[in-house]
Amino acid sequence: QNEKELQDVVKQQEEKMLQLIDKSGEVVRLKAEVFELKRLLQRAETEAKVLREEMRGKEHQVDTTYVQERIMLRWEVDKLRLLLVEREGENMRLTGEY
């Protein structure tokens, strides 16, 4: 009787562990999705900012090649800023460890 109860308890624990593993995998996937969505939002905001700047004061003709180039440059600046912040954080973490 006790052995049967013990087996049932062990089986329940294994099921709970598998559920937790599934949930943690889902959390990791969702975090990656949130990161990607934030990146896309930042890109869209950058593009909108450049377009607003270009459209300000201009009613008719806009050089689309120039605007696209500015957008690409702004994306690159934003990407480099993000990398800098990440590196600074990594350096602070490493400095704190030693």
Side-chain angles (χ1 to χ4, degrees):
Q1 180 68 22
N2 284 341
E3 189 174 322
K4 173 72 171 140
E5 287 177 15
L6 183 59
Q7 287 176 348
D8 288 343
V9 169
V10 168
K11 185 177 180 182
Q12 288 174 356
Q13 285 299 102
E14 288 175 350
E15 289 173 3
K16 286 180 183 179
M17 286 176 53
L18 289 174
Q19 288 175 349
L20 288 174
I21 290 170
D22 286 346
K23 287 181 182 178
S24 68
E26 181 70 8
V27 167
V28 169
R29 187 189 67 74
L30 288 172
K31 283 183 179 181
E33 187 175 336
V34 166
F35 177 79
E36 181 64 16
L37 288 171
K38 284 181 179 179
R39 189 184 66 76
L40 290 171
L41 175 62
Q42 183 181 23
R43 253 191 129 131
E45 288 172 343
T46 298
E47 186 173 340
K49 182 178 180 181
V50 169
L51 290 172
R52 272 193 301 274
E53 289 172 358
E54 279 304 307
M55 297 306 291
R56 192 175 303 135
K58 295 183 179 181
E59 294 177 13
H60 298 291
Q61 200 169 11
V62 175
D63 183 356
T64 56
T65 303
Y66 173 73
V67 171
Q68 188 63 33
E69 185 177 306
R70 282 201 57 204
I71 290 170
M72 300 286 279
L73 289 171
R74 185 70 62 112
W75 284 343
E76 193 64 28
V77 167
D78 288 346
K79 185 173 92 174
L80 290 171
R81 281 187 182 140
L82 180 61
L83 285 171
L84 176 63
V85 168
E86 288 174 357
R87 293 290 183 242
E88 287 175 345
E90 193 175 302
N91 286 344
M92 290 178 68
R93 184 184 58 80
L94 291 172
T95 303
E97 289 179 2
Y98 295 106

